[in-house]
Amino acid sequence: MPQILPDFSSSVKLKYVKLGYQYLVNHILYLLLVPIMAGIVIEVLRLGPDEIIDLWNSLHFDLVQILCSSFFIIFVATVYFMSKPRTIYLVDYACYKPPVTCRVPFSTFMEHSRLILKNNPKSVEFQMRILERSGLGEETCLPPAIHYIPPTPTMEAARGEAELVIFSAMDSLFQKTGLKPKDVDILIVNCSLFSPTPSLSAMVINKYKLRSNIKSFNLSGMGCSAGLISIDLARDLLQVHPNSNAVVVSTEIITPNYYKGNERAMLLPNCLFRMGGAAILLSNRRRDGSRAKYRLVHVVRTHKGADDKAYRCVFEEEDKEGKVGISLSKDLMAIAGEALKSNITTIGPLVLPASEQLLFLLTLIGRKIFNPKWKPYIPDFKQAFEHFCIHAGGRAVIDELQKNLQLSAEHVEASRMTLHRFGNTSSSSLWYELSYIESKGRMRKGDRIWQIAFGSGFKCNSAVWKANKTIKVPTDGPWADCVDRYPVHIPEVVKL
């Protein structure tokens, strides 16, 4: 009789061999120390009381030796604790949820495209094909100015969008944390494409009447990875300013950046980018450790701007008709892959268990010495993290990272569902993904989270967090009224 089911015995045996190998390498120190400690205990037990007293009496200590030893121990301990980096806590965060009046279903988006680009049906057809394969859903939102035909991207409208998104997120953060505006020590606002004068950070200071000695920063032009750059900046500032907190605001203002031309490379952002923003409270105060949700473990930044192709792969410029837009290069995914490779090469030794690092090293040596055609070993990052927040830049980005990092559908669920529900919200997308994981009740104490973001320049940035406690399912937030519907099946092509 022919075998109906495949023979799983070999794969099961291989699985247990790998599990045994991982346990052996990751616990090698414990496995070596336990027999040594057991031998010492047995030897001490074999000695009688008189022999132990004689051994103690044979040790001669004078007062000078005791004082010098005590001073040395205190000195070493002081140096250690003084040089140890301050722990950075993520107390809480809030994501902006656009009103239903800003919703842009596929039918509305395509109707507007046909009216705005009525002289170029090929551009309309191109946008339709992109939208069909984008992974976006019917509930993503665009700012009010883009709903007009034609759009009215005025400075006033752009400021209006910025105030709506940023102030809503800030109000929610103050309410959740109980933080008073006057108690904010550091303020960092990042928005890549909209950089007015006065700055967005000045706008926040004016709105909430923040202190005159506040340390404020405004980051622009740094793309979708600017949120993690802001976290890195806040971490560095909190290291040198004790007993302080920092509020980070990440957003992208869509109003002034809606492209109305016909260049296909510049029409792509119109199909993917949507309204969104997040406000995050960080602190280095020990008393905040008990209520903080997460602790920052690592931030790793990779910049490929020295390479001309990488520098120009996401580029703001004018088209042939003089209309300004963001051009996305065909080489974008290949460049993103190279940036990711450099980033994980740096972050790998910091987070991967010894078993994975040893396998990677042995494979690397084997390829260099024995056979260059050996398949390179891809470290299993699932051994280092329980949750993955991959920037929801588009379906292709998520697909590529899932494939390269060998992640399961559940590992990229937060990214896919965020893209479906909110679209590409630029630097704030990582916080919508983290909120999704919390809303599903999946965050447990000790869980490790890897946030990965890509940005123009070209940059790949990573942040690693560790959960301080088991997070209760939030009753508010961007997913409160819809998380029960997710995850949803997202077809490869949605016929419009």
Side-chain angles (χ1 to χ4, degrees):
M1 183 177 178
Q3 188 175 358
I4 299 173
L5 294 174
D7 182 14
F8 292 109
S9 59
S10 59
S11 61
V12 169
K13 288 176 184 177
L14 186 62
K15 174 187 174 183
Y16 285 112
V17 167
K18 187 174 183 181
L19 287 173
Y21 160 76
Q22 289 171 351
Y23 187 86
L24 176 66
V25 175
N26 294 340
H27 299 85
I28 189 70
L29 289 177
Y30 298 105
L31 296 174
L32 291 175
L33 285 174
V34 167
I36 294 172
M37 294 299 295
I40 293 172
V41 170
I42 292 169
E43 192 63 32
V44 170
L45 291 175
R46 286 176 59 188
L47 297 174
D50 295 335
E51 291 174 308
I52 293 174
I53 292 170
D54 291 340
L55 182 64
W56 175 258
N57 290 332
S58 66
L59 301 173
H60 298 287
F61 298 104
D62 57 29
L63 185 61
V64 175
Q65 287 177 325
I66 293 172
L67 288 175
C68 289
S69 300
S70 301
F71 175 77
F72 179 73
I73 292 170
I74 293 170
F75 175 75
V76 171
T78 303
V79 170
Y80 171 75
F81 285 110
M82 290 293 287
S83 60
K84 184 181 178 183
R86 291 187 175 91
T87 303
I88 307 301
Y89 299 105
L90 193 163
V91 180
D92 212 335
Y93 64 96
C95 297
Y96 167 71
K97 184 179 180 182
V100 292
T101 53
C102 293
R103 193 168 67 92
V104 183
F106 292 155
S107 56
T108 302
F109 184 90
M110 291 312 305
E111 181 184 8
H112 281 220
S113 294
R114 291 187 185 97
L115 292 171
I116 295 167
L117 301 171
K118 56 186 176 183
N119 295 326
N120 199 325
K122 288 187 177 179
S123 294
V124 175
E125 186 183 346
F126 172 75
Q127 284 191 306
M128 185 172 71
R129 290 203 308 271
I130 294 298
L131 203 61
E132 288 176 338
R133 294 161 176 80
S134 64
L136 273 67
E138 296 274 10
E139 296 180 275
T140 62
C141 295
L142 285 171
I146 308 301
H147 287 254
Y148 288 95
I149 301 174
T152 56
T154 62
M155 176 61 75
E156 183 182 3
R159 284 188 184 277
E161 181 193 349
E163 291 173 357
L164 175 64
V165 174
I166 294 174
F167 295 165
S168 298
M170 292 280 287
D171 289 343
S172 181
L173 181 70
F174 288 145
Q175 183 181 0
K176 291 171 78 172
T177 60
L179 180 70
K180 297 178 181 178
K182 289 286 185 183
D183 294 332
V184 177
D185 300 308
I186 299 167
L187 173 66
I188 303 171
V189 179
N190 70 263
C191 178
S192 186
L193 294 171
F194 181 56
S195 184
T197 300
S199 66
L200 295 178
S201 59
M203 182 185 78
V204 173
I205 292 170
N206 176 258
K207 163 70 175 178
Y208 294 100
K209 310 305 177 189
L210 303 184
R211 299 198 316 258
S212 60
N213 65 340
I214 189 170
K215 297 167 183 64
S216 67
F217 302 85
N218 197 94
L219 306 183
S220 64
M222 306 198 81
C224 299
S225 66
L228 296 186
I229 295 172
S230 297
I231 295 294
D232 188 34
L233 175 58
R235 179 191 64 170
D236 291 344
L237 291 167
L238 289 172
Q239 289 299 332
V240 296
H241 295 286
N243 197 36
S244 300
N245 62 49
V247 172
V248 174
V249 180
S250 292
T251 188
E252 190 59 77
I253 305 306
I254 306 296
T255 297
N257 302 299
Y258 188 84
Y259 177 64
K260 294 183 287 184
N262 296 309
E263 288 290 333
R264 293 190 176 188
M266 295 181 175
L267 286 169
L268 274 169
N270 288 359
C271 302
L272 300 175
F273 282 88
R274 297 293 186 265
M275 286 179 79
I280 306 99
L281 174 60
L282 303 176
S283 174
N284 60 14
R285 295 168 179 162
R286 289 187 179 180
R287 65 175 180 268
D288 286 330
S290 58
R291 68 176 183 137
K293 285 186 172 183
Y294 304 98
R295 174 172 60 86
L296 183 60
V297 183
H298 301 292
V299 178
V300 174
R301 292 168 57 181
T302 302
H303 204 306
K304 290 288 187 179
D307 179 74
D308 290 342
K309 281 189 177 180
Y311 172 70
R312 294 190 64 90
C313 71
V314 181
F315 206 77
E316 185 176 20
E317 59 186 348
E318 295 174 333
D319 64 11
K320 296 175 182 178
E321 299 175 359
K323 295 176 181 177
V324 177
I326 307 297
S327 176
L328 302 181
S329 167
K330 293 179 180 179
D331 301 323
L332 178 59
M333 290 310 302
I335 291 165
E338 288 299 316
L340 175 67
K341 190 187 299 182
S342 299
N343 192 266
I344 64 176
T345 302
T346 306
I347 202 172
L350 300 175
V351 299
L352 286 170
S355 58
E356 290 300 307
Q357 294 193 46
L358 184 60
L359 277 175
F360 181 78
L361 178 63
L362 292 175
T363 308
L364 184 65
I365 293 171
R367 294 183 70 201
K368 293 287 185 182
I369 298 175
F370 300 109
N371 188 354
K373 294 183 179 180
W374 277 8
K375 186 179 179 182
Y377 180 72
I378 300 173
D380 185 4
F381 280 94
K382 298 186 290 295
Q383 297 288 327
F385 304 106
E386 283 73 37
H387 307 287
F388 296 81
C389 294
I390 299 167
H391 167 54
R395 179 180 232 150
V397 175
I398 302 171
D399 287 346
E400 196 67 23
L401 264 72
Q402 180 181 5
K403 177 185 174 183
N404 288 340
L405 298 177
Q406 299 176 351
L407 303 178
S408 67
E410 186 175 348
H411 286 125
V412 296
E413 182 183 312
S415 301
R416 292 195 189 281
M417 297 308 111
T418 295
L419 181 65
H420 182 270
R421 174 61 184 85
F422 296 100
N424 180 353
T425 59
S426 189
S427 57
S428 64
S429 67
L430 299 174
W431 304 105
Y432 288 90
E433 294 166 21
L434 191 60
S435 180
Y436 178 86
I437 296 168
E438 291 180 5
S439 298
K440 282 294 184 181
R442 296 172 183 171
M443 193 63 71
R444 300 285 182 265
K445 182 178 180 179
D447 281 1
R448 297 153 298 178
I449 307 98
W450 185 13
Q451 292 181 321
I452 317 168
F454 299 93
S456 57
F458 188 85
K459 297 178 285 291
C460 175
N461 299 324
S462 293
V464 177
W465 304 88
K466 191 169 186 178
N468 266 7
K469 56 187 178 182
T470 298
I471 309 297
K472 295 180 181 178
V473 175
T475 55
D476 56 359
W479 296 96
D481 64 344
C482 62
V483 73
D484 293 336
R485 293 189 273 119
Y486 285 90
V488 297
H489 171 67
I490 304 174
E492 289 293 324
V493 179
V494 179
K495 282 295 179 183
L496 299 182

